[in-house]
Amino acid sequence: LSLFKPLKLLSEGIAELTSSTQASISIKQSSEKNKTHIDLQNGSASFHADSLKIIISKLNNSFALQENLLGIGHRVVHGGNTFSQSVIITDNVLDQIKLCSELAPLHNPANIMGIEVLKKHFPETPQTAIFDTAFHQTIPEFAHTYALPKKWTEDFKIRRYGFHGTSHRYISQQAASYLEKDISDVSIITAHLGNGASVAAIKDGQSVDTSMGLTPLEGLVMGTRSGDIDPGIFDYLVNKGISPAEINQTLNKKSGLLGISQLSHDMRTLCEAASHGNQSAQLALDIFCFRAAKYIAAMSVSLQKLDALVFTGGIGENSSLVREMIIKHLTVLGFALNSSANNSSNMNDVLATPIHLETSRPILIIPTDEEAMIVSDTLQLIQDK
């Protein structure tokens, strides 16, 4: 939970490991160098709600939220086909979000809990939902439809929804500003690379394809998620005696960089290990970069022009090695890296950092800021209410 005054971060509270005995809450204010750290002794299902209540209490003591809070914005992971833009949360909207929970059982219930807890504390304060999936609702039918029986796709709402939409939308706006173009004239490929990773093709400011699908599991290799695999592997493993629940848990929590390397899901750790000859770490790095490049190349099919390739996210913004390895696979698209710019990129208070040679298509690093997008949408919705 973060507190902003319009677009300036005032304070934030983070609850970590809320389902374990190591649960803790860190709260810091923008004017403070030190955090207030609270240890919670026992993990339980109610810890998400309990943690949020503690954070609210601490922020309320410092900022008198009851008198000064204009609105509350929530990142909601899945909006299904129902929501194509951010909305004010009403009882009907909340019911629709609940119906989408079967599409995101690991995420939407926690989002709903946050909405309901805050509604009890601030019943008169407008709340908004900013959906990870909304930006990708412009993907054309031929790009979002799976080659499955129509009964499945229609009755069970199976399609490519895509995620990280708030980040991809923010990056497209920042890229338009940097390129000095109207957003409706910008066509780019955005690579949001972090523990969760996705790429998107953005044509004339709208998403027209993306790598994640019905769930965030599809697409790129990620920190602990497998990304694309042959669906036949699932049945094969069931026949080997592994339960569907264990397969699902492994694909989401024990695969990806962690599964390949058997070392870590953190790219910094893997880069360091690879530099010291760890072959499993090197393989994880190679696979991650190859798969990312493969998907970036695939995104170009949806575009008629390509103004820039943009890296963002924790890995995309900070790992010069990952960017270098990805670009080496993309020379066929006319990308060429300026090694000096790539290795010395400094993103402090910079809209975008170019890291390409003059002979190359533009390659940019743009820091993402999903919270700024949530704040902006919330303020606009309250103003238009």
Side-chain angles (χ1 to χ4, degrees), residues 135 138-140 142 168 172 182-190 200-209 299-307:
F135 182 59
T138 53
I139 294 176
F142 64 79
H168 289 296
S172 67
D182 188 273
I183 187 67
S184 62
D185 189 38
V186 169
S187 291
I188 60 176
I189 296 171
T190 50
I202 300 172
K203 179 181 179 183
D204 301 331
Q206 294 188 325
S207 175
V208 290
D209 199 4
M299 290 297 117
S300 68
V301 174
S302 295
L303 304 177
Q304 294 176 323
K305 64 173 182 173
L306 181 53
D307 294 318

Side-chain angles (χ1 to χ4, degrees), residues 3 57-69 122:
L3 185 66
S57 176
K58 292 290 183 181
L59 295 180
N60 201 25
N61 290 339
S62 299
F63 297 101
L65 298 183
Q66 293 288 358
E67 292 80 22
N68 297 315
L69 198 59
F122 309 103

